[in-house]
Amino acid sequence: MPKVKKEKAGKASDSQGIVFNKSFGQHILKNPLVVNSMVEKAAIKSTDTVLEIGPGTGNMTVKLLEKGKKVIACEVDPRMAAELTKRVQGTPLHSKLHVMMGDVLKNELPYFDCCVANMPYQISSPFVFKLLLHRPFFRCAILMFQREFAERLVARPGDKLYCRLSVNTQLLARIDHIMKVGKNNFRPPPKVESSVVRIEPRNPPPPVNFTEWDGLLRIVFARKNKTLAAQFKSKSVVGMLEKNYRVHCSLNNKAIETSFDMKAKLTELLVENELDLKRARLMDTDDFLALLHLFNSNGIHFT
């Protein structure tokens, strides 16, 4: 009896013999009802250019091509790109499809009006920020993520999953949870449940230095249950802020008193503004903006 070859670890195939590479996060969305719902939520116009990440075999791509003027499909796997091209070849949709090969995180994003995608989950966080910092602004994005990641995006102050990701994304965009999607809607099924979110960038964006902002959040969310007073007494935090303060003063020809004490200065600012007992897990975007303004206006910088 001939030996049956075992499937390689990390790969799975469908009934058509297509081998999916899990290292690329290839979990094809097979439920047409979910596909149609995501496309409808995007409210695509006939004049729109649509960006899709990880089109796979094209279940969603075909629906997007039917709605928009052009679809730019970003694909890292040449086999999937060939499968997608073959699917629309010889149809009126072929001229509307542009396949962009390569790693979407390394390539510059093209112009687009909206983005619809069943995301490879391992690139979720870096892609969200690449998307939100992209210019010119897009109208909206309808994206499938791992359930817990989606819940972090929409988490509010006091929620268990509220974190730096929540605050960073909500500073730059309005984010809504649209629907939950079970693992059996994919081929092969992932190990986790999924959710679809709608992201609409704030235009114009808030007038804030994002590098400074993120530097502040990294400190306060390192221990989000601690008070700000405790966070800003940490030896490493005080040392980093004092170094930045001295550079700032040097660049602005400002003399520093010999008795200057950064730890005391931080405590004084927090107490005077009744922020010392605040905790990051209960603060909202406006609270963090006020905190950043307080520090920056007193020459305290995070980069």
Side-chain angles (χ1 to χ4, degrees):
M1 183 175 178
K3 291 183 179 179
V4 178
K5 287 185 179 179
K6 288 185 179 180
E7 203 172 76
K8 288 184 180 179
K11 294 187 177 181
S13 61
D14 72 349
S15 57
Q16 297 173 319
I18 300 168
V19 177
F20 299 116
N21 190 332
K22 291 183 182 179
S23 66
F24 287 153
Q26 290 175 346
H27 297 279
I28 307 302
L29 182 56
K30 66 179 183 179
N31 187 335
L33 295 178
V34 177
V35 171
N36 289 338
S37 181
M38 289 180 67
V39 173
E40 289 302 320
K41 294 290 185 183
I44 298 166
K45 302 173 185 176
S46 59
T47 54
D48 280 348
T49 294
V50 184
L51 178 69
E52 185 184 13
I53 312 302
T57 55
N59 293 345
M60 178 118 50
T61 318
V62 170
K63 297 295 181 183
L64 296 174
L65 288 166
E66 291 170 354
K67 293 277 187 181
K69 180 182 179 182
K70 179 182 179 182
V71 172
I72 301 172
C74 300
E75 180 57 69
V76 72
D77 188 342
R79 300 171 309 121
M80 289 297 173
E83 192 70 27
L84 174 60
T85 304
K86 186 170 73 174
R87 183 164 180 169
V88 297
Q89 207 161 26
T91 74
L93 301 178
H94 185 258
S95 61
K96 299 165 72 174
L97 174 66
H98 174 69
V99 178
M100 196 168 99
M101 290 299 304
D103 186 338
V104 70
L105 297 179
K106 295 177 181 176
N107 293 336
E108 188 175 334
L109 293 180
Y111 169 85
F112 61 96
D113 298 293
C114 56
C115 177
V116 185
N118 168 28
M119 292 295 303
Y121 292 168
Q122 67 267 37
I123 67 167
S124 296
S125 186
F127 180 74
V128 165
F129 288 107
K130 186 180 181 77
L131 199 63
L132 291 177
L133 297 174
H134 176 67
R135 299 294 180 270
F137 285 98
F138 59 95
R139 190 171 65 250
C140 76
I142 305 294
L143 304 174
M144 178 89 72
F145 292 120
Q146 179 178 334
R147 177 81 48 82
E148 185 175 314
F149 182 84
E151 289 175 347
R152 288 180 187 277
L153 289 179
V154 300
R156 306 301 299 167
D159 291 349
K160 184 180 178 181
L161 292 176
Y162 189 59
C163 61
R164 184 167 64 94
L165 174 69
S166 317
V167 185
N168 269 333
T169 50
Q170 290 168 32
L171 172 78
L172 300 172
R174 284 176 284 274
I175 306 175
D176 298 298
H177 185 282
I178 293 178
M179 62 179 166
K180 295 179 178 180
V181 182
K183 60 182 76 172
N184 291 329
N185 292 287
F186 300 87
R187 186 181 69 246
K191 294 179 180 179
V192 295
E193 302 293 337
S194 303
S195 281
V196 178
V197 300
R198 184 179 193 276
I199 299 176
E200 183 183 338
R202 298 188 190 279
N203 186 7
V208 62
N209 180 322
F210 189 75
T211 309
E212 280 279 314
W213 166 268
D214 191 51
L216 167 64
L217 294 189
R218 284 179 185 275
I219 291 172
V220 298
F221 275 101
R223 295 286 185 273
K224 68 178 181 179
N225 293 318
K226 276 192 171 185
T227 62
L228 294 184
Q231 298 270 38
F232 285 96
K233 284 178 181 174
S234 160
K235 187 176 180 180
S236 59
V237 170
V238 171
M240 182 268 288
L241 293 179
E242 181 167 353
K243 181 181 176 183
N244 291 349
Y245 180 77
R246 292 186 180 280
V247 170
H248 175 79
C249 289
S250 175
L251 292 173
N252 291 276
N253 297 316
K254 182 180 176 182
I256 302 175
E257 295 179 9
T258 53
S259 60
F260 177 76
D261 184 334
M262 174 57 77
K263 187 176 180 180
K265 178 70 172 176
L266 293 168
T267 300
E268 178 188 333
L269 288 172
L270 292 171
V271 172
E272 282 183 358
N273 292 273
E274 299 181 349
L275 293 167
D276 53 318
L277 299 180
K278 293 256 188 185
R279 301 171 195 272
R281 68 181 180 86
L282 298 173
M283 296 171 68
D284 62 18
T285 302
D286 290 338
D287 292 329
F288 291 119
L289 284 170
L291 182 62
L292 181 63
H293 176 71
L294 172 66
F295 283 138
N296 283 175
S297 61
N298 283 274
I300 298 168
H301 293 271
F302 296 87
T303 54

